[in-house]
């Protein structure tokens, strides 16, 4: 699958089969994320892999996610960042914002690789970040940005409408 095809084929999947995602495939996804670009090549990301039913149940018991379908996914990746930029970058780095952008670039690699492998994904921004950090014992110097849920799709949604190019460009096209 070419990159353009993966971009066009990617959908937010909210229903998954019971098929688990094996460790080798999870490593493939993380490898794609690892290769994402970042300012000053700081690579400020960390990924917490949640694929144990007990841990997912614990998150559900604590109402960590707003959307119930999250708890049905065989794999939840908690995306975290820190501001681990070199000292020379400090005057340019607006705390937190640069690392969140870097995480977005890294995550896009991950979801496009997932699409290529036939795995559905969905970005989850509605979550209780404080609870997640406590429950999963995430170090204080990391911010939880969002989660990505993944699994083999049990649905095939139509593409969502997109704005025209003229509606997303400022100035002349």
């Amino acid at each position: 699958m070419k990159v353009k095809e993966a971009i066009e084929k990617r959908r937010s999947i909210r229903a998954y089969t019971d098929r688990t995602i094996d460790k080798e495939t999870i490593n493939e996804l993380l490898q794609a994320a690892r290769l994402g670009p970042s300012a000053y090549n700081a690579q400020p990301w960390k990924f917490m892999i949640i694929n144990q039913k007990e841990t997912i149940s614990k998150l559900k018991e604590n109402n960590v996610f707003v959307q119930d379908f999250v708890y049905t996914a065989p794999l939840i990746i908690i995306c975290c960042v820190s501001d681990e930029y070199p000292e020379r970058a400090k005057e340019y780095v607006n705390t937190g914002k640069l690392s969140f952008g870097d995480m977005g670039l890294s995550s896009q690699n991950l979801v496009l690789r997932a699409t290529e492998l036939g795995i559905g994904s969905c970005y989850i921004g509605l979550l209780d970040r404080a609870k997640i950090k406590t429950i999963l014992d995430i170090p204080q110097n990391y911010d939880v940005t969002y989660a990505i849920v993944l699994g083999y799709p049990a649905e095939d949604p139509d593409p969502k409408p997109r704005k025209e190019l003229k509606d997303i460009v400022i100035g002349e096209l």
Side-chain angles (χ1 to χ4, degrees):
M1 177 180 298
K2 303 246 184 220
V3 174
K4 184 177 189 281
E5 184 182 354
I7 292 168
E8 291 170 349
K9 189 174 180 178
R10 195 219 59 81
R11 302 279 182 277
S12 292
I13 301 298
R14 294 176 176 85
Y16 306 97
T17 67
D18 291 336
R19 183 177 170 192
T20 60
I21 300 174
D22 61 59
K23 185 176 179 179
E24 182 179 302
T25 303
I26 293 170
N27 285 335
E28 282 283 321
L29 298 173
L30 294 172
Q31 175 69 2
R34 186 181 75 81
L35 295 173
S38 64
Y40 292 91
N41 196 34
Q43 303 169 56
W45 43 69
K46 294 280 191 237
F47 301 93
M48 178 162 273
I49 306 304
I50 311 294
N51 60 359
Q52 301 298 314
K53 291 192 184 298
E54 306 81 46
T55 307
I56 294 171
S57 292
K58 193 173 185 180
L59 295 173
K60 185 175 184 174
E61 289 166 15
N62 286 279
N63 297 314
V64 167
F65 297 103
V66 173
Q67 299 144 308
D68 284 337
F69 81 90
V70 173
Y71 304 111
T72 67
L75 175 61
I76 302 171
I77 298 179
I78 307 298
C79 300
C80 306
V81 294
S82 71
D83 286 323
E84 296 177 351
Y85 293 92
E87 195 58 40
R88 70 184 193 281
K90 295 297 182 198
E91 67 181 287
Y92 303 106
V93 176
N94 185 358
T95 305
K97 296 189 184 236
L98 189 60
S99 60
F100 280 44
D102 288 345
M103 174 54 84
L105 292 164
S106 175
S107 298
Q108 184 70 1
N109 279 8
L110 188 149
V111 299
L112 290 176
R113 181 70 172 126
T115 301
E116 181 182 40
L117 294 172
I119 298 168
S121 64
C122 190
Y123 161 91
I124 306 296
L126 299 173
L127 50 99
D128 189 321
R129 289 164 177 81
K131 281 184 186 177
I132 287 177
K133 283 184 80 162
T134 300
I135 294 166
L136 301 177
D137 199 27
I138 295 172
Q140 284 298 40
N141 63 318
Y142 283 93
D143 289 315
V144 173
T145 55
Y146 45 82
I148 300 173
V149 295
L150 299 115
Y152 291 94
E155 65 178 356
D156 186 18
D158 290 331
K160 300 279 187 197
R162 296 290 176 195
K163 294 179 180 180
E164 298 293 325
L165 285 179
K166 66 179 179 58
D167 297 327
I168 65 169
V169 174
I170 298 171
E172 294 182 33
L173 180 60

